[in-house]
Structures are given as structure tokens and as C-alpha cells.
Amino acid sequence: MEHGAPKINVLMVSFATQGHMNPMLRLAKQLQSKANIQVTLATTEIFYHHLLKQNNHNVTTTTSNNTLSISGIDFESFPDGFDLDYDRKSNLNTYLDTLAKVGPTNLYNLIISLSTNQISPKKFSCIITSPFVPWATNVAVRLRIPCAMLWIQPCTLFAIYHSYYNNLNYFPTKENPHISVKLPCLPLLEASDLPSIVLPENPITGMNESLSQAVKNVDNIRWVLANSFYELEKEVVEYLSKFVDIKAVGPLVPPTVLLGEEHCHGNDDHVGINLWKPEDKCIDWLKQNKDNSVIYVSFGSVIMLSREQLEIIGKALINCKRPFLWVVKEKNYSVSEGAREFLEWFLDETKEQGMVVKWCSQDKVLSHKSLGCFLTHCGWNSMLETISVGVPVIAYPFWTDQPTNAKLMCDLFGVGLRLWPNKDGLVGVEEIMKCIEVVMDGPRAVEFRAKAAEWKNNAREVVVHGGSSDRNIQDFVDDIIQTSSAVKYNVDTE
Ligand code: UDP
């Protein structure tokens, strides 16, 4: 690291969810550790308020000069076009559309006001965007600031979307919904392996628009940084390199899962936001269980299960008679009729067998030696955390990238089995029980564990000094430093 040189400022613009923010924050930490770089993360006002109110054990917040700073990363905010008390989840399409309309001007004004701040003006040498704020790239172009995008899904998804939005391949249509897709760098993908966004019945049109812009706007993006690692998606990274300067810089996961909790005490690299307060009693409970024995069940921060789905999973867990830890979010108790009654009955019935919590420190849970497998919705953050700890999976994907992530985890990385729905479109009790037995016991369980252990080693090798992701981050930092002196804002004069 070069000392004495003026600080280089980098601006990150992130969609305000935990799954987008956390990889951004971890990348920010990496950049700051490699050079005299100060990262500022700009997000929506509502999320900024949430951060201010939050009292999270792994987040240290201080305010100085009216700037919120978390673990050395500065936070700034811009309005998203809605009042603070508006329920942004009530209509994601409306939300994304409005954000895309008002976001560019509000972000532009923020950047200009930071550059003219009387006390400590900031001029950014690079803007790093995330996929659901593709309009931030246009702001970077307008101001002539070099732009990168942190792609927070597997590179495979970038390849699929790139092909889909640029019409490079055929995809399922209303007339031909079951067609399978062959992309140059991937095995044949059935419709059930594709992200729901490219299917004819895709309900989230707002996301469609954002992703389309994100992958079509690549000419304006100098670097695509991917939260994955080269060894994990070699062929796809090679293929995408023909279109974009792609650098895999992951896994951007909590240090606990890469190093183990015993090596993380006082570790300043631990930066992340937790949406809800974790119930740490489950860690004590895990300690009472045998190695590789517990089934961990979680569906991430967004998916809400219906009462029927809750019952099916609950019955499968009871029937398999193994210890389990199940995360059922607070909101899931009231989201469908009868859910609370069932869960109360279930809690009582299984107090000797398992534990149900409303939220946990997933990094600590996954890295606990009592874990046997992870029954998961296959969100990419969870999958990278799982790969980093070497735990096999039972894949229960719902939508967006999750079906493709399930395909990768089970068929390409070889670390588990996918659950399939029956004729009614529901995954049944027997299907879950059957998969639990195969993944937990018998010859295939040994195979899955061995494969998971291989990936775990790989994940650790790529992030240490000289590993592929470490080198890619260093190359990116070197590029920013090299181009920084040439950056001159192109400010509109009206
Ligand atoms: N997570 C957590 N506690 C829980 C459940 C999930 O900390 O009880 C974290 C998990 O470690 C992951 C994130 O929430 O980092 C979920 O992100 P993912 O991409 O897997 O799914 P999403 O929530 O975006 O669907």
C-alpha cells in the first residue's frame, strides 16, 4: 500500500437490500485494504435511516461531519421518490420504475454536492454499481467517471441474461414453454433450470427492465466484477471475457465462513448488515449436537412460505427424526392463514428434536461442525457461504436466479440434490425425506461431502494473497489508481 499519496475516492451505488449491500461492503473492505482508497456507499434514504436506527453487533456506526460511517466505509443517501413510510415491497415493479426515474438526477446531485463540500470535498475516480441500479451507469457516463458493476449473481446468470437480452439464443416462449437452451459455455439447460425472469410467465417486469439494462449497458462499463471465483465458473468467465472485462473477485462472504469463527475474533474485515437481530441461542444448541448431524433449513430474507409449504417441510423434518435448525422469519407467521397455529404446534411437537428461530447469524451456523446439510432456497449469497464452508445442500429453489443456482450446485459443482415438485406444483413430504436421507447418509452423501470439501479449499485459496480473486482485486485497484488522475467531471451547465 502506498502511503502519503492523496486518497482515491470510489463511489458504490447499491440497491438497498441485504443481499446487494453485503457483497458491496465486503468488496469495499478489500479495496480499502489494498490501497489508499476511501469508499463511499450511496444508497436510498430509507435504507440510510434503517442503518442509523440499527443497533447491530457487527456494525459500528459513528457520525461525523454529518456522514454515517460503518467500519471505515462512508454512507451517503439519495431520495428514491417515495415517503419514508411507504411500503416498498408492496409493488416491486412500481418501486423499481420510480427509482429508475428519479434515481439518476438524485444521484447526480449527490455526487456534485459531495464534490463541492466545504469541509472535505470528494471527487470520485470510479463508480461501482450493482445490477438493480443500472441507471447509475448513465450518471457515471454523464459525468465521465469510469464505471464498474459488481455482479452479485453467478457469472452463469450474466451469460444467460446477456444471451437473452441481446437475442443471441432461443429461449422458452408462451407457444414453446418447455424448450431447453444451449449456450456455448454451459450444459443444456431445461426451462426449469433457467432464471424465472427469462420465462414467459415472469411476474417481475421491473426486474426484467433493470437486468436488461445492466447487461446491455456493458459498453459503458469498464469492468464487471463478479461475486464468484474463476475456478468455480472457469468456462463461463472465459466465454464472457469476449464481451466484457470480467474479473471474478469472490467469494465476498463473511470472514467467519472462510476462516472459521475461532480465527475471526477482533477481525476488522467483518463488515455486513443484518436485517434482523440474530437469535444466538441456536449456536449454543448446535454445540449439543454431533458432528455433521444437523439439517439447517432457511429460505433467505425474501421468500415467505405458504401454510401448506410450512406443513410439508415441518412434517418431513419430524418424520426424518434428525436434529434440525429452521429459520422462519417473523413475517412468515402471519403471511398466510393458519401459519402461526401450525408453527406453534410444530414448536411444541419438536422441542426435543430441533430448534426454530426467526433469524440467525448464518455465517456462524454454517461454519459449525455439527451441520450436516443445508435445505436452501439457493440465494447466491447463501450458496457462496455454503461453498466456503463445504456443506452439502438440498436445493429448494423458488424464483429469479435460484433455479439456475440449484442447477449449478447440484449438477455442476456436485454438492447436493435438488427437490422436484409433484404434479400439483408442490414439493412433497416424501420427496424432502428421500433427499434428506441421500444427502445425509450413504455413498452419495460421501461423494457430496468430498466435493464440498474440494470447493471449500478452492474458495479459501482464491482469496489469500496471490489467489485468483485476490489478484483480480489488485488488478482492478491498480487500474483505478492509474486512471484516477485523468478523471475530470463533466458537469452540465444549464
Ligand atoms: N441470512 C442470515 N440469517 C438467516 C438467514 C439468512 O444472516 O437467518 C443471510 C445469509 O447468510 C445470506 C443472506 O441472508 O447472506 C441471504 O442472501 P441470499 O442471497 O442467500 O438470499 P436472499 O435473501 O437474497 O433471497
Side-chain angles (χ1 to χ4, degrees):
M1 193 191 299
E2 209 180 317
H3 291 284
K7 250 196 175 141
I8 289 182
N9 280 295
V10 170
L11 178 69
M12 288 182 162
V13 188
S14 176
F15 191 60
T17 64
Q18 181 173 337
H20 290 227
M21 288 288 222
N22 281 346
M24 276 285 197
L25 288 170
R26 292 184 190 121
L27 177 65
K29 277 303 240 192
Q30 297 269 357
L31 300 181
Q32 294 193 164
S33 75
K34 291 213 176 297
N36 195 17
I37 287 178
Q38 175 61 50
V39 176
T40 301
L41 203 152
T43 186
T44 50
E45 264 173 13
I46 177 82
F47 202 81
Y48 187 89
H49 281 266
H50 177 75
L51 289 174
L52 274 176
K53 273 197 281 171
Q54 188 184 44
N55 182 15
N56 198 317
H57 74 284
N58 67 0
V59 172
T60 52
T61 54
T62 52
T63 39
S64 65
N65 289 346
N66 285 334
T67 301
L68 172 72
S69 165
I70 297 181
S71 302
I73 298 158
D74 292 344
F75 275 72
E76 295 291 345
S77 68
F78 55 87
D80 63 5
F82 292 97
D83 291 339
L84 289 180
D85 55 6
Y86 172 78
D87 177 10
R88 285 150 175 82
K89 290 199 183 101
S90 64
N91 189 331
L92 195 58
N93 292 334
T94 313
Y95 182 65
L96 285 167
D97 283 350
T98 309
L99 184 62
K101 279 191 197 103
V102 303
T105 307
N106 294 344
L107 180 66
Y108 179 92
N109 291 340
L110 174 68
I111 296 173
I112 297 300
S113 88
L114 291 173
S115 74
T116 51
N117 184 295
Q118 298 292 316
I119 305 164
S120 51
K122 274 184 190 169
K123 282 237 170 183
F124 297 107
S125 300
C126 176
I127 294 184
I128 306 178
T129 69
S130 75
F132 291 165
V133 288
W135 43 264
T137 305
N138 303 333
V139 178
V141 169
R142 183 170 161 199
L143 281 159
R144 297 211 192 116
I145 304 173
C147 187
M149 173 170 64
L150 176 64
W151 182 253
I152 52 157
Q153 295 181 354
C155 298
T156 300
L157 269 297
F158 193 97
I160 294 172
Y161 292 134
H162 184 263
S163 173
Y164 176 71
Y165 291 116
N166 289 304
N167 292 320
L168 304 181
N169 210 314
Y170 49 82
F171 278 85
T173 55
K174 276 204 179 88
E175 297 68 41
N176 210 344
H178 300 299
I179 199 168
S180 36
V181 172
K182 181 75 193 92
L183 298 184
C185 53
L186 287 165
L188 193 68
L189 297 171
E190 304 295 337
S192 54
D193 301 324
L194 291 170
S196 55
I197 315 278
V198 306
L199 297 179
E201 69 272 18
N202 167 38
I204 336 171
T205 47
M207 233 185 232
N208 206 327
E209 190 50 40
S210 305
L211 283 168
S212 145
Q213 267 200 51
V215 298
K216 280 173 143 174
N217 220 349
V218 285
D219 289 344
N220 291 322
I221 293 172
R222 197 174 292 183
W223 314 268
V224 175
L225 309 170
N227 189 10
S228 182
F229 53 95
Y230 178 76
E231 288 73 1
L232 195 62
E233 298 192 273
K234 211 180 269 184
E235 286 80 15
V236 184
V237 174
E238 294 291 348
Y239 167 76
L240 284 175
S241 301
K242 294 182 200 156
F243 308 103
V244 286
D245 181 358
I246 184 159
K247 296 180 194 296
V249 295
L252 299 165
V253 291
T256 335
V257 297
L258 279 171
L259 306 171
E261 204 187 346
E262 60 283 14
H263 301 293
C264 287
H265 289 301
N267 189 326
D268 188 39
D269 294 341
H270 204 317
V271 60
I273 288 159
N274 234 329
L275 278 177
W276 298 283
K277 196 166 166 20
E279 292 182 50
D280 279 338
K281 64 178 182 199
C282 63
I283 309 294
D284 290 328
W285 178 81
L286 286 177
K287 289 180 191 155
Q288 298 161 20
N289 288 283
K290 288 200 207 104
D291 289 2
N292 306 330
S293 68
V294 175
I295 305 164
Y296 171 53
V297 187
S298 171
F299 296 92
S301 61
V302 183
I303 297 285
M304 296 291 163
L305 301 175
S306 65
R307 179 199 161 124
E308 211 173 1
Q309 286 165 325
L310 287 167
E311 277 190 23
I312 290 170
I313 294 167
K315 282 183 186 149
L317 289 174
I318 292 179
N319 291 353
C320 78
K321 299 192 171 59
R322 294 175 182 274
F324 65 82
L325 171 62
W326 187 5
V327 178
V328 183
K329 293 177 290 293
E330 173 72 52
K331 202 168 173 195
N332 214 150
Y333 281 71
S334 50
V335 94
S336 65
E337 207 178 314
R340 185 175 298 279
E341 288 71 18
F342 167 72
L343 286 164
E344 276 164 7
W345 170 83
F346 178 81
L347 281 172
D348 198 47
E349 194 72 12
T350 58
K351 10 183 214 300
E352 303 298 323
Q353 186 191 345
M355 178 169 270
V356 178
V357 291
K358 293 190 172 142
W359 193 247
C360 71
S361 303
Q362 184 165 293
D363 54 334
K364 290 190 199 160
V365 167
L366 281 176
S367 44
H368 199 274
K369 59 185 180 353
S370 65
L371 264 238
C373 72
F374 182 9
L375 172 49
T376 167
H377 73 308
C378 299
W380 188 236
N381 288 298
S382 293
M383 293 307 89
L384 285 175
E385 292 158 13
T386 309
I387 287 168
S388 306
V389 292
V391 168
V393 298
I394 297 172
Y396 191 156
F398 287 72
W399 63 340
T400 66
D401 58 332
Q402 296 156 17
T404 317
N405 300 347
K407 170 82 178 167
L408 291 173
M409 294 295 283
C410 299
D411 293 355
L412 278 86
F413 309 156
V415 297
L417 281 184
R418 175 167 175 179
L419 297 168
W420 291 102
N422 55 29
K423 289 193 297 294
D424 309 330
L426 269 180
V427 171
V429 177
E430 280 72 30
E431 171 75 354
I432 300 178
M433 286 169 60
K434 191 182 78 198
C435 283
I436 289 178
E437 287 319 308
V438 179
V439 172
M440 292 293 282
D441 253 328
R444 295 206 66 195
V446 177
E447 263 175 52
F448 295 142
R449 286 210 156 266
K451 208 66 206 154
E454 263 179 48
W455 287 122
K456 166 182 165 172
N457 288 338
N458 268 294
R460 285 156 196 230
E461 278 163 15
V462 300
V463 295
V464 296
H465 184 68
S468 60
S469 292
D470 179 69
R471 284 199 313 274
N472 280 338
I473 293 175
Q474 188 62 59
D475 287 352
F476 173 56
V477 165
D478 292 346
D479 276 358
I480 298 177
I481 294 171
Q482 212 176 12
T483 49
S484 66
S485 58
V487 178
K488 300 270 177 294
Y489 283 13
N490 174 44
V491 180
D492 299 346
T493 43
E494 256 129 70

